[in-house]
Amino acid sequence: SCQVLSQFDEAISYYRKAIEMAAVADDLSAEGMWNGHLGRLYRNRGQMDEALACTKEALRIAVESDDLRDESFWSDRLGLVYRSTGQLPNALESHKRGLALAREVGDLRGEGASLSNLGLVHYVLGDLDNAAECYTKALSIAAKIGDRRGEAIRNNRLGRTALDRGKNATAKEAFDKALSIATKHGDRREQAYALIGLAQIRLASGEDREAIAQLVQARNMHTTETDYLACLAVAIARYRVSGEEAYSSFADAIDSCQELLNQSESLFEVRYALAIARTGLNVCNRSWTEPAGRSVLLEPNLNDYRQALNSCYARGVVERTIKDIGYLRQAGADGLDPILQMLN
């Protein structure tokens, strides 16, 4: 209940008490479950060190208890933490382990989740064919077992993959399905992801004001995992309409990213978004038009990209960063070659 009401500190306190009570009662099953749920809460808040510790503990208990179903579930969840922090080989290994165990015990829901999350790692790596294959299989399972939330998640992921392939019509169909399902079931996170995806299609078509309207809707969903993405996309879209309108939006995006990075410095996708947002703020600054002023602004921003690349240099995330910088360039931003050269 506290999580639903966004009372996260209270929720953490309750989970901690539940873990202590389960340990005193020697109830390994409950202790593992509460550790895992606490880990998921930490992951959703961007507190990855805590998420990693709790999820590993849940997995350890599952292995000790010889519970293959729980071992499958927490292996897959551990992969999500690894992916979020750029530890992609560990993420692949964890999701594959979760998938194999889910198939061994005949857990279709777990199989679908592991396939979908395995696809997400392939997506970050830039392997769009394997990502799409995993998502398609996972979507089929979700439809078979009536997992509507799973259908929304996998349609969104298929939409993003199609968008990166330049198949905008296919992407729109997938995002529309995801939005319809998520809206019906009150899933704000997947609604936000779908709206961001649909807005990106509009950006690609030059429908900037329409994109802004959808992105504002996405921001109004107020979910930790999507707010920084919506903030950045709004700023880019506003820059394409008017540089003067964009300055405060890029500042908002920086604040949103920094808030997450203050909780966990290892969130590589947020670090890339922060670098792009600072680039946007720079090109809105009048000093950027003067060589001396640009030099002063550029070097710290190049360091932002260095830090992002040090956290994760997977092809997929770098290519999507180049695409966002391209939007700024198309709108008339000059002086971006040093950034693009580094990313390329």
Side-chain angles (χ1 to χ4, degrees):
S1 296
C2 288
Q3 278 186 252
V4 172
L5 296 171
S6 298
Q7 297 170 349
F8 296 118
D9 290 337
E10 288 186 49
I12 289 169
S13 175
Y14 283 126
Y15 278 137
R16 289 291 184 196
K17 289 176 183 176
I19 290 167
E20 290 174 10
M21 292 172 67
V24 169
D26 200 24
D27 186 346
L28 274 179
S29 178
E31 187 180 352
M33 178 180 67
W34 296 127
N35 266 291
H37 287 319
L38 179 57
R40 182 167 62 177
L41 173 57
Y42 278 131
R43 183 173 66 83
N44 289 342
R45 293 189 74 189
Q47 295 174 256
M48 292 301 163
D49 289 342
E50 294 87 346
L52 187 63
C54 290
T55 310
K56 279 185 173 181
E57 180 63 9
L59 178 57
R60 183 196 67 77
I61 290 171
V63 173
E64 183 180 321
S65 304
D66 199 25
D67 187 328
L68 294 184
R69 187 177 289 265
D70 275 1
E71 186 179 346
S72 168
F73 183 81
W74 296 120
S75 291
D76 188 55
R77 291 292 166 180
L78 183 61
L80 290 175
V81 181
Y82 281 137
R83 188 205 64 81
S84 295
T85 55
Q87 300 177 63
L88 302 184
N90 288 342
L92 280 172
E93 181 182 345
S94 293
H95 290 314
K96 286 178 179 178
R97 180 184 179 191
L99 177 60
L101 288 169
R103 285 172 170 166
E104 183 177 340
V105 300
D107 179 6
L108 272 179
R109 184 179 291 271
E111 181 180 349
S114 291
L115 277 167
S116 182
N117 292 330
L118 187 59
L120 198 56
V121 180
H122 286 305
Y123 178 75
V124 172
L125 289 168
D127 185 355
L128 300 183
D129 289 340
N130 272 328
E133 182 181 351
C134 288
Y135 294 153
T136 301
K137 289 178 180 177
L139 179 59
S140 177
I141 290 173
K144 181 178 181 179
I145 65 176
D147 178 7
R148 298 293 281 166
R149 183 171 186 271
E151 286 186 67
I153 292 170
R154 288 144 207 181
N155 270 301
N156 266 332
R157 292 179 178 179
L158 277 169
R160 291 200 293 275
T161 305
L163 188 62
D164 282 4
R165 286 169 150 177
K167 298 180 179 180
N168 289 3
T170 302
K172 185 178 185 306
E173 182 180 354
F175 288 134
D176 281 337
K177 287 179 181 177
L179 182 59
S180 175
I181 295 168
T183 301
K184 183 176 180 180
H185 291 270
D187 188 333
R188 293 184 301 164
R189 187 189 72 174
E190 295 308 318
Q191 285 180 70
Y193 275 131
L195 286 164
I196 291 169
L198 290 167
Q200 288 172 332
I201 293 171
R202 289 189 180 277
L203 279 175
S205 302
E207 301 172 45
D208 298 327
R209 294 194 182 278
E210 294 84 353
I212 291 169
Q214 287 185 311
L215 290 166
V216 170
Q217 280 184 270
R219 283 199 65 186
N220 289 340
M221 295 296 159
H222 299 298
T223 72
T224 303
E225 294 164 288
T226 62
D227 274 357
Y228 80 96
L229 292 171
C231 282
L232 179 59
V234 165
I236 291 171
R238 284 187 171 146
Y239 182 79
R240 285 158 59 103
V241 173
S242 167
E244 292 181 2
E245 291 182 18
Y247 188 90
S248 61
S249 296
F250 280 119
D252 287 344
I254 290 169
D255 288 344
S256 183
C257 292
Q258 198 61 67
E259 184 178 349
L260 285 172
L261 290 171
N262 286 342
Q263 295 176 33
S264 176
E265 294 183 354
S266 56
L267 295 169
F268 70 94
E269 287 166 311
V270 181
R271 194 163 289 285
Y272 276 96
L274 176 63
I276 298 165
R278 285 180 172 160
T279 300
L281 196 70
N282 284 344
V283 298
C284 291
N285 191 320
R286 291 180 180 178
S287 298
W288 187 260
T289 61
E290 301 294 333
R294 181 181 298 174
S295 178
V296 170
L297 294 169
L298 181 60
E299 188 51 44
N301 194 207
L302 286 172
N303 193 50
D304 293 328
Y305 288 101
R306 290 188 190 100
Q307 290 181 358
L309 288 163
N310 285 335
S311 67
C312 180
Y313 55 86
R315 175 179 174 177
V317 69
V318 175
E319 286 181 340
R320 282 182 285 281
T321 302
I322 291 171
K323 185 177 181 180
D324 283 340
I325 298 298
Y327 282 137
L328 297 177
R329 191 181 225 178
Q330 290 167 15
D334 294 322
L336 302 177
D337 285 347
I339 295 170
L340 292 169
Q341 287 167 8
M342 178 184 291
L343 293 170
N344 280 315

